[in-house]
Amino acid sequence: MKLTIEMEKPEIKDEKGENEERDKSMGPKGMVDMYSQSATIHGVSKVGAPQIYRFRRLTWVTLLIVMSIVLTCLVYMEFRRYQEHPSSTIVKAEFHNELVFPAVTICNTNQYHRNRLPHHVPLLELLYNLSEFAHIGKYLNQIRDTHNNGPSEIVDHSGDYLYSFAMDAAHTLDEMFLYCTWQGRNINCSEVFEREVTDFGVCYRFNGNASDVLTTTTSGPGGGLRVMLDIQQIFSFFSATSQSGIKVLLNEPNEAPNLFNHGLFVRPGTSTALSIRKEESVGLGSPYKAFGTSYCYDTDEEGFETPLKRFANYTYTRTTCQRNCVLNYMAHKCNCRHFFSPGTEVYCSVEQFENCYLPTLADKKMEKVLNMCTACPSRCHTIKYNTQLSSADFASSFIIDYMVATNMMQDKEYIRNNVIDLRIFYDTLTVTKTEQIPELTVQGIVADLGGHMGLFLGASLLSLTELVEFIALLIVEFFNRRRLKKSASCQQKKDETIS
């Protein structure tokens, strides 16, 4: 009997504690009533309020559910849109007191000085086959005569010989450039122009040193470059192009000059002005797509190195990448490279040109290679020089007569066929900048979320906090009641056992 009394005392205490805990509990209904009366989400208080008219509670419950669904859909669409990394583009004009002058590459359209060509028929045949006129003559059924009346020389057919001959046969700087001025001051052309081997042959480049660029603070001809050239048409031969004159390319000093598909032709016998307007495009790097097309290379990133081994001394550009791709294909196909192409492979010999290089260029498969090479990504930060070309006759008849009379020039016909006066300058120091910016940001999404919540539910982030707290309390209440119920069930079993 004593043992029974000792066991009953704690049981009575536990049962009393459980009853007190159950009494303190508000219960699900009480918690719902409390939330409906204090919630700041519009419409919740109407659900728990007295029913002034029939179906009032159902109406407000329906409205709350519909508005919540619409809000959820809008938020989902917003985040889905954010994951697509959309962007927008802004265009603005930036005024500068000083601008970097572009690199100017000037090429004579005639690649070889005829008087410096060796009297060797296979070599002359090769130059013809490499020329643009070879394709034209094929369709026009022209008859060529590349034979020379002089005796043929026995020469080395190796690629190194072809490269050496091409460099020696090119027009020299002293032959082409008669007169140069920079910002109104006379300068020695050989001090500011450097020889550059390009896809267009041997050319001459101004302001091509990216570590020591020239700048200008003045727009108009007085703040730019002026050169007078003699293209020496009397020494022309078959070349990559059939035009007469020069080809001019303007690009950044750290970019490789690619003139075959870029640049402007300037004809002889003219005074030509190239006025420049600078345009700058700044795109967003990955995961954004540059201007909605494809991913771009961020070449301005610290430590960036161009992946183009053939153009390791220049920055990456899409044009250079495409050319690098084609050159890699040709080198892999023929185990050699053109004497005007960069790389580490050996130069093609005459035999390799005739048996592999030229047939590969004419092969239909080359179209697929060119299409494949267009997949090169663009650079995120690009600079373009839009040019407006205007020209007039080289000089007045009085000036021309004076130049001939004083033996400055041979005759009027020579001036008309060979001499060019070229002026390159900024039209304005204003830069048109096209910049890509993120269309959606975290701050923007939070602001949109607040607007949507206020519009559909009249809620705020604190309203969400209230809702989360209410749900958490309901869960805690559910587990407490379950624990108490389980405890009461265990106690009942013990009582039945003792009985």
Side-chain angles (χ1 to χ4, degrees), residues 69 322 400:
I69 292 174
Q322 292 170 348
I400 291 177

Side-chain angles (χ1 to χ4, degrees), residues 57-273:
R57 181 172 296 168
L58 178 62
T59 300
W60 281 102
V61 169
T62 303
L63 288 174
L64 281 172
I65 293 174
V66 170
M67 295 301 168
S68 299
I69 292 174
V70 173
L71 176 61
T72 303
C73 291
L74 288 175
V75 172
Y76 171 77
M77 292 169 62
E78 191 91 352
F79 277 97
R80 184 73 179 271
R81 176 74 173 153
Y82 177 75
Q83 291 177 346
E84 294 175 356
H85 305 289
S87 62
S88 57
T89 303
I90 59 173
V91 180
K92 56 185 178 181
E94 293 183 347
F95 301 92
H96 295 264
N97 294 322
E98 183 180 32
L99 284 180
V100 173
F101 202 77
V104 180
T105 307
I106 299 176
C107 306
N108 195 326
T109 56
N110 177 55
Q111 296 174 317
Y112 314 104
H113 192 292
R114 191 168 68 246
N115 281 4
R116 290 199 284 270
L117 292 177
H119 299 164
H120 189 245
V121 174
L123 178 59
L124 301 181
E125 288 279 354
L126 174 62
L127 296 184
Y128 174 84
N129 291 330
L130 288 172
S131 71
E132 181 186 54
F133 187 77
H135 304 283
I136 300 173
K138 177 181 178 182
Y139 289 99
L140 296 180
N141 197 25
Q142 295 294 316
I143 300 174
R144 69 187 187 280
D145 181 13
T146 57
H147 296 276
N148 201 297
N149 294 328
S152 273
E153 298 179 6
I154 299 175
V155 295
D156 185 8
H157 294 75
S158 70
D160 288 336
Y161 169 77
L162 292 181
Y163 172 79
S164 178
F165 129 78
M167 298 301 107
D168 294 339
H171 293 269
T172 65
L173 189 147
D174 292 335
E175 290 172 340
M176 278 183 58
F177 290 79
L178 304 177
Y179 172 78
C180 298
T181 65
W182 166 245
Q183 296 183 346
R185 293 177 287 104
N186 293 340
I187 53 175
N188 189 337
C189 299
S190 60
E191 293 180 357
V192 293
F193 278 91
E194 295 182 353
R195 192 174 79 161
E196 185 94 16
V197 179
T198 71
D199 55 344
F200 208 72
V202 176
C203 303
Y204 298 94
R205 201 169 195 220
F206 171 83
N207 199 29
N209 186 0
S211 61
D212 186 23
V213 295
L214 297 174
T215 61
T216 182
T217 57
T218 308
S219 60
L225 173 71
R226 181 182 181 183
V227 293
M228 189 178 294
L229 304 111
D230 181 0
I231 64 172
Q232 300 178 309
Q233 278 206 75
I234 56 176
F235 302 118
S236 295
F237 195 68
F238 295 114
S239 298
T241 181
S242 300
Q243 291 93 338
S244 67
I246 60 172
K247 197 168 189 182
V248 183
L249 174 70
L250 307 179
N251 64 352
E252 283 293 278
N254 61 350
E255 293 180 4
N258 294 289
L259 287 101
F260 204 81
N261 295 317
H262 301 278
L264 299 168
F265 285 105
V266 179
R267 64 186 180 89
T270 62
S271 177
T272 300

Side-chain angles (χ1 to χ4, degrees), residues 110 245 413 455:
N110 177 55
E413 188 70 17
L455 177 63

